[in-house]
Amino acid sequence: MRQLAYCLPSLPGFAGPKTFAAWPVWSDSTTDEVRFQPMPKKAAVKLWHRAREFDQNTREPGKHGGRVGHMALQVLHALIFDFLNYRTGQLDPSYAKIAERANVCVRTVANALKRLRELGLLHWQRRCTPSWQDGRFVLEQDTNAYAVLPPTQWHGYRPPAEPPAPWPEAWGATPPLPSLIAQAIEEIRQPGSSRRTVIGILDSDPGDALAAALASFGRTIERRDS
């Protein structure tokens, strides 16, 4: 009879035997505890801007968005700013919650998450929870555990070039201070300058031997005139 049952699918008008999974969960789901990695908010914000730049820099003429796409960016924004716990790194919202925050449908969320994973921006682990129902052991599908990956893992991403160091003559460069002797001469030229102030300038850097000698000479003259 068993052999006959497996032969029936080949006969018109007969349906084959139905098979069922032990539990209606994804085969790669885990019951183990998932360890999330903390991500400081500043790092998360920087990562978001990198993702947006990635999309802008890969935009083709005549097309909307770049390789990431508007919907995927919208979903990533919701994950980073609405669901990510920066202190613990926990990130495990349901499709429905993501759709609500990103203002899109659940189908769009599924497509966007797939796109983010293909580009290496996102990784997730399917999870399931063991429980007992009607006296029997069952597994129930849980929400995915997500991880936003760093730009070094993104496929086709090129980090922005570091800006060159400014030339010394560029705006904002700190000009070198004049020598102590030049500062002392400038002080002497000022109306109302005092000998004690000039000596103090010359004596401000013990490493300048000439300025120190002039300061010593000035103190000698000051003692003589006092």
Side-chain angles (χ1 to χ4, degrees):
M1 291 297 292
R2 181 177 298 178
Q3 294 177 349
L4 178 61
Y6 280 96
C7 292
L8 289 178
S10 61
L11 299 177
F14 289 92
K18 295 183 178 180
T19 58
F20 299 91
W23 301 286
V25 297
W26 290 95
S27 59
D28 57 349
S29 300
T30 180
T31 58
D32 297 335
E33 182 182 359
V34 177
R35 294 185 178 181
F36 295 95
Q37 295 296 324
M39 178 179 291
K41 185 175 182 179
K42 184 179 293 186
V45 172
K46 184 177 180 180
L47 190 147
W48 158 248
H49 287 296
R50 289 288 182 266
R52 191 170 59 175
E53 291 172 1
F54 184 17
D55 186 68
Q56 293 172 346
N57 295 337
T58 54
R59 180 179 180 273
E60 297 181 11
K63 294 185 178 180
H64 294 287
R67 296 190 62 186
V68 183
H70 177 68
M71 290 294 102
L73 281 177
Q74 204 162 326
V75 168
L76 182 64
H77 187 278
L79 289 174
I80 292 177
F81 296 105
D82 291 319
F83 298 108
L84 177 60
N85 186 316
Y86 306 117
R87 183 179 60 84
T88 64
Q90 183 174 352
L91 184 61
D92 52 2
S94 65
Y95 276 33
K97 288 294 185 181
I98 299 174
E100 179 183 347
R101 290 290 186 172
N103 197 26
V104 296
C105 66
V106 174
R107 183 65 180 176
T108 299
V109 170
N111 293 334
L113 292 175
K114 181 181 178 182
R115 184 62 177 161
L116 292 171
R117 183 176 63 176
E118 290 173 347
L119 291 174
L121 279 77
L122 192 69
H123 175 74
W124 68 75
Q125 173 63 59
R126 290 193 176 101
R127 302 182 299 176
C128 58
T129 305
S131 64
W132 290 87
Q133 294 182 3
D134 300 328
R136 62 189 181 92
F137 177 82
V138 296
L139 292 177
E140 295 180 325
Q141 195 70 50
D142 200 352
T143 58
N144 296 335
Y146 298 95
V148 183
L149 303 180
T152 54
Q153 305 294 323
W154 300 355
H155 306 313
Y157 173 75
R158 294 183 179 179
E162 293 292 335
W167 292 96
E169 298 83 4
W171 179 86
T174 304
L177 293 174
S179 66
L180 295 181
I181 296 177
Q183 294 180 50
I185 294 174
E186 184 64 26
E187 176 62 27
I188 293 173
R189 292 174 178 173
Q190 299 299 321
S193 64
S194 65
R195 183 185 298 169
R196 181 169 298 178
T197 301
V198 174
I199 294 174
I201 293 174
L202 294 172
D203 208 23
S204 61
D205 183 8
D208 191 331
L210 180 57
L214 292 174
S216 178
F217 181 69
R219 284 192 294 270
T220 301
I221 296 176
E222 193 174 41
R223 285 194 298 269
R224 187 196 61 185
D225 295 343
S226 59

